[in-house]
């Protein structure tokens, strides 16, 4: 089922790297390893990769810096962060820089394999599935092809993850969306664990989209999740 996808493992702990290499090879993936930052960058630039498994804590260069360099050169390769730190700040930083997913050590290999499959499914989505139409809700409009977002005449700058989150809201106006639904759709996997990363990103998007506006479009549904609705609409 791998279609011979290629995976680069960037991990300085030999035992972990070897286990990952054996498991992924058994699943039919083409696998190589790098144990330091500079080795990872060199291998990334000299070969074509579908997925990079990237440990955050590495010698010579942090995984976050490697991710930053990868995204400067390639926005398509899927990057899954591996971290021993169970800190929401580390996860948000990585996701904000363009990581597709993260795993906190120790993790089950079955879950990692599922995350890899999900990342590959998203990567293989054909470009023609995205048209040149604007999504419009109230005075907010978004173009998926050009990635432009406007609130009235004001251009809004969003990170890739913030943009994807707003697309999901605009595709589901007036529907209450749970944190689990948002994670599964926007982050691209069935998530079992912390959901407060959603709260962090909703806060970012709401600050940029709603700002000082009287009509707040992204609203909290206490104990459930979030909903995009026009407050003025309900008063008409």
């Amino acid at each position: 089922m791998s279609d011979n996808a290629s995976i680069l493992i960037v991990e300085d702990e030999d035992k972990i790297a070897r286990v990952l290499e054996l498991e992924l090879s058994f699943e039919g993936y083409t696998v190589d390893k790098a144990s330091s930052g500079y080795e990872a960058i060199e291998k990334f630039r000299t070969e074509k990769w579908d997925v990079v498994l990237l440990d955050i804590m590495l010698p010579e260069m942090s995984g976050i810096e490697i991710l930053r360099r990868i995204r400067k050169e390639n926005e398509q390769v899927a990057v899954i962060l591996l971290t021993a730190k169970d800190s929401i700040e580390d996860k948000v930083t990585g996701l904000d820089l363009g990581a597709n997913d993260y795993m906190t050590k120790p993790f089950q290999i079955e879950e990692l394999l599922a995350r890899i499959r999900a990342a590959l499914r998203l990567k293989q989505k054909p470009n023609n599935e995205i048209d040149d139409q604007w999504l419009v809700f109230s005075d907010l409009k978004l173009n998926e092809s050009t990635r432009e977002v406007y609130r009235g005449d004001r251009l809004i700058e969003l990170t890739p993850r913030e943009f994807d989150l707003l697309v999901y809201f605009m595709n589901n106006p007036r529907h209450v969306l749970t944190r689990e639904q948002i994670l599964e759709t926007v982050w691209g996997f069935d998530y079992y664990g912390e959901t407060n990363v959603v709260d962090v990103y909703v806060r970012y998007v709401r600050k940029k989209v709603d700002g000082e506006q009287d009509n707040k479009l992204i609203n909290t549904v206490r104990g459930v999740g979030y909903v995009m609705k026009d407050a003025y609409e309900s008063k008409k």
Side-chain angles (χ1 to χ4, degrees):
M1 298 295 290
S2 70
D3 293 326
N4 205 34
S6 58
I7 300 179
L8 176 62
I9 301 167
V10 185
E11 169 62 68
D12 65 320
E13 294 186 44
D14 292 338
K15 289 183 179 179
I16 294 177
R18 182 56 178 160
V19 168
L20 290 175
E21 181 182 32
L22 290 172
E23 293 284 354
L24 295 173
S25 297
F26 181 77
E27 293 292 322
Y29 296 109
T30 299
V31 184
D32 198 0
K33 306 192 302 292
S35 59
S36 68
Y38 291 116
E39 183 185 8
I41 292 297
E42 182 179 354
K43 289 192 174 184
F44 178 78
R45 289 172 174 168
T46 54
E47 301 288 340
K48 184 179 182 298
W49 304 102
D50 296 298
V51 179
V52 177
L53 300 181
L54 179 58
D55 188 27
I56 287 183
M57 301 297 291
L58 291 166
E60 300 177 356
M61 185 187 305
S62 73
I64 293 297
E65 178 58 28
I66 295 171
L67 172 61
R68 186 178 286 110
R69 296 189 185 195
I70 285 175
R71 283 294 177 245
K72 281 184 179 179
E73 300 180 20
N74 188 316
E75 294 185 355
Q76 301 304 316
V77 63
V79 179
I80 300 177
L81 299 178
L82 307 177
T83 174
K85 293 183 177 179
D86 195 18
S87 166
I88 193 65
E89 289 79 13
D90 293 323
K91 295 168 185 176
V92 168
T93 298
L95 293 169
D96 208 30
L97 287 171
N100 300 78
D101 201 348
Y102 63 81
M103 294 287 292
T104 302
K105 300 176 185 177
F107 51 79
Q108 296 295 320
I109 190 66
E110 290 81 6
E111 184 179 1
L112 177 61
L113 292 172
R115 305 283 183 94
I116 291 172
R117 290 193 295 270
L120 288 171
R121 283 197 299 271
L122 288 177
K123 184 175 182 292
Q124 292 165 0
K125 221 174 190 182
N127 290 333
N128 60 14
E129 288 187 10
I130 300 176
D131 59 28
D132 195 28
Q133 299 300 310
W134 288 88
L135 295 175
V136 179
F137 185 78
S138 185
D139 60 344
L140 178 67
K141 64 179 184 177
L142 175 154
N143 190 301
E144 291 190 81
S145 296
T146 64
R147 302 186 77 83
E148 293 174 280
V149 180
Y150 288 91
R151 181 78 189 261
D153 296 325
R154 178 172 60 91
L155 178 64
I156 299 171
E157 298 286 346
L158 298 175
T159 67
R161 188 70 63 179
E162 291 168 354
F163 182 87
D164 292 343
L165 177 57
L166 185 58
V167 168
Y168 187 45
F169 277 124
M170 294 191 71
N171 276 321
N172 296 275
R174 305 177 191 87
H175 288 87
V176 176
L177 304 173
T178 67
R179 291 171 177 82
E180 290 76 13
Q181 288 174 314
I182 294 170
L183 276 169
E184 182 176 349
T185 301
V186 178
W187 274 260
F189 58 87
D190 295 324
Y191 182 86
Y192 302 98
E194 296 176 357
T195 57
N196 47 349
V197 67
V198 171
D199 299 325
V200 173
Y201 270 84
V202 169
R203 187 163 65 247
Y204 292 162
V205 173
R206 189 152 48 189
K207 182 177 181 181
K208 293 180 179 181
V209 169
D210 287 335
E212 301 301 320
Q213 298 277 342
D214 291 331
N215 185 16
K216 309 296 185 186
L217 298 180
I218 301 173
N219 297 272
T220 301
V221 180
R222 191 176 300 278
V224 181
Y226 299 94
V227 61
M228 173 167 276
K229 64 180 182 179
D230 187 331
Y232 293 164
E233 191 176 79
S234 61
K235 295 178 182 178
K236 292 179 182 178

